[in-house]
Amino acid sequence: MNIEGTEAFAKEFVGQILEKESAAHKAGRATVVGLYGDLGSGKTTFMQFFGQALGIKEKILSPTFVIEKIYKIGGVNVDGSESQKKFEHLIHIDAYRLESENELVTLGWQEIISNPKNLICVEWADKIPGIIPKDHVRLKFAHREEGSRMIEVELAK
C-alpha cells in the first residue's frame, strides 16, 4: 500500500477501534495497539494518519527520544460527526530505545494502562513482551517495494 492507502487504512482502523468494544475496555483497562515492523516500515506514518482520524490537531512525531507522548483526543468521529468520547487520550510510546520493560514502568505504565479512556499505541511493542497485555491488537508493518508497505492486523487470541 502507498501513502494514500496508509491514510485510508488508518481511518478505517480508527472506525473499528471506536465501534468495537475491546476485552480490555470491558475489563476497565486501556485499549492497547502494538505496532511491529522494521525501521522505515511505516509505523510513524500510520500514527500520523491515525492521530488525524482521532481528531488530534498536533503533528504526531515518533517519540523515540522522549519515549512517550500524550495527545488529547478530539470528539469527532471518522465521518466528521461529533462523538461521545470513548477515549480521552492517545498515548504514543516508542519502545525502541528501552533497555528494559522497567523503564516503561517507571514512566507510569501501570497508571496509563489502568485507565479505559486511554488508547495506547506502542511502536516496537516486541521490546516489552512481559508487560504489554496479551489481548492487545497487533499491527504488523512490512516493506514491499519502494514506497509501498503492507499492514496486517492481528486481533488478540
Side-chain angles (χ1 to χ4, degrees):
M1 104 180 31
N2 60 15
I3 193 98
E4 292 82 13
T6 301
E7 181 176 16
F9 176 83
K11 286 181 181 177
E12 182 182 318
F13 187 68
V14 164
Q16 292 170 3
I17 291 284
L18 293 176
E19 290 171 10
K20 186 179 178 196
E21 187 162 21
S22 69
H25 206 257
K26 288 178 189 173
R29 290 184 285 119
T31 298
V32 179
V33 178
L35 285 72
Y36 298 83
D38 293 333
L39 281 170
S41 61
K43 296 181 297 293
T44 301
T45 300
F46 166 81
M47 284 301 303
Q48 291 170 343
F49 291 128
F50 187 68
Q52 287 173 5
L54 286 167
I56 295 169
K57 303 296 182 212
E58 295 173 66
K59 181 168 174 81
I60 293 180
L61 302 172
S62 181
T64 302
F65 294 101
V66 294
I67 310 296
E68 173 184 280
K69 188 95 164 108
I70 300 173
Y71 301 92
K72 187 157 182 60
I73 294 176
V76 178
N77 289 319
V78 177
D79 65 5
S81 64
E82 291 295 313
S83 70
Q84 263 191 304
K85 290 202 293 188
K86 177 177 179 179
F87 299 109
E88 292 178 356
H89 296 100
L90 170 63
I91 300 172
H92 183 195
I93 296 171
D94 187 327
Y96 183 75
R97 292 179 0 105
L98 296 181
E99 292 185 23
S100 78
E101 295 167 343
N102 195 46
E103 290 178 72
L104 199 51
V105 172
T106 303
L107 290 174
W109 176 254
Q110 295 306 324
E111 183 181 333
I112 64 170
I113 196 101
S114 65
N115 184 345
K117 292 285 189 175
N118 288 338
L119 174 55
I120 304 169
C121 292
V122 182
E123 291 190 45
W124 300 97
D126 51 318
K127 303 264 297 181
I128 58 165
I131 63 171
I132 195 162
K134 301 288 184 236
D135 63 357
H136 74 282
V137 177
R138 293 164 180 81
L139 295 181
K140 296 182 178 181
F141 294 77
H143 295 277
R144 290 282 210 177
E145 55 219 34
E146 185 62 36
S148 180
R149 309 285 187 263
M150 180 190 74
I151 306 173
E152 186 178 293
V153 179
E154 184 181 302
L155 300 175
K157 296 173 181 161

